[in-house]
Amino acid sequence: MRLKWTIAALLGLLAVFSLQGQQKTYQLSSHILDIHTGQPAPEVVISLSKLTPQGEWELLDEKTTDGNGRVKDFLEQDGSDHTGVYKLTYHVGPYFEKQGQNSFYPFIEVVFRISGSSHYHVPITLSPYGYSTYRGN
């Protein structure tokens, strides 16, 4: 009986380590901090687009910020070269509408370049009448 428990425990550990080895990593993340409230901005849709060689924007992905105002999983690091010019569109109009707050910005577009394989974090600080962005880590 003890041997069965030992084997079961080892198989359980093997399953845990196998799942950890399969965790995906991502090259791009974002975060929205509402400086008007001092809180993260949850439930904001963020669209990711890439500039094509023809000069047009191609929509790649669209995600919604979590309860901490974050999207952590843009551009899976799967061996692909993600070099290029990208645009994050933050659809902030509905966020402010839910709060009963007027806003000057229905959406915010941030354009940036990715080169190499390092991680890029593009946060914005947001208020109804202004915003700021930078390359975070």
Side-chain angles (χ1 to χ4, degrees), residues 30-35 37-46 63-71 90-99 124 126:
S30 188
H31 181 212
I32 306 173
L33 178 63
D34 183 339
I35 59 174
T37 64
Q39 299 293 318
E43 300 179 21
V44 175
V45 173
I46 303 176
K63 299 193 180 282
T64 303
T65 58
D66 64 15
N68 290 319
R70 296 180 182 273
V71 171
Y90 300 84
H91 303 275
V92 296
Y95 168 77
F96 285 117
E97 287 172 13
K98 286 181 190 174
Q99 296 183 1
I124 63 169
L126 175 66

Side-chain angles (χ1 to χ4, degrees), residues 20-35:
Q20 286 180 346
Q22 295 174 4
Q23 287 181 344
K24 296 179 181 179
T25 58
Y26 298 88
Q27 190 171 8
L28 177 62
S29 60
S30 188
H31 181 212
I32 306 173
L33 178 63
D34 183 339
I35 59 174

Side-chain angles (χ1 to χ4, degrees), residues 62-132:
E62 196 166 80
K63 299 193 180 282
T64 303
T65 58
D66 64 15
N68 290 319
R70 296 180 182 273
V71 171
K72 301 175 185 178
D73 56 352
F74 282 124
L75 297 178
E76 183 179 349
Q77 289 184 306
D78 57 3
S80 300
D81 180 10
H82 294 128
T83 298
V85 176
Y86 291 85
K87 174 174 64 174
L88 287 171
T89 303
Y90 300 84
H91 303 275
V92 296
Y95 168 77
F96 285 117
E97 287 172 13
K98 286 181 190 174
Q99 296 183 1
Q101 175 73 48
N102 289 328
S103 173
F104 185 64
Y105 302 104
F107 59 89
I108 297 166
E109 294 182 328
V110 177
V111 179
F112 55 96
R113 179 181 313 279
I114 288 180
S115 58
S117 60
S118 64
H119 181 80
Y120 287 73
H121 183 65
V122 183
I124 63 169
T125 54
L126 175 66
S127 75
Y129 296 98
Y131 70 92
S132 181

Side-chain angles (χ1 to χ4, degrees), residues 52-69:
T52 68
Q54 295 76 29
E56 298 176 3
W57 290 106
E58 175 187 0
L59 179 64
L60 300 179
D61 206 349
E62 196 166 80
K63 299 193 180 282
T64 303
T65 58
D66 64 15
N68 290 319

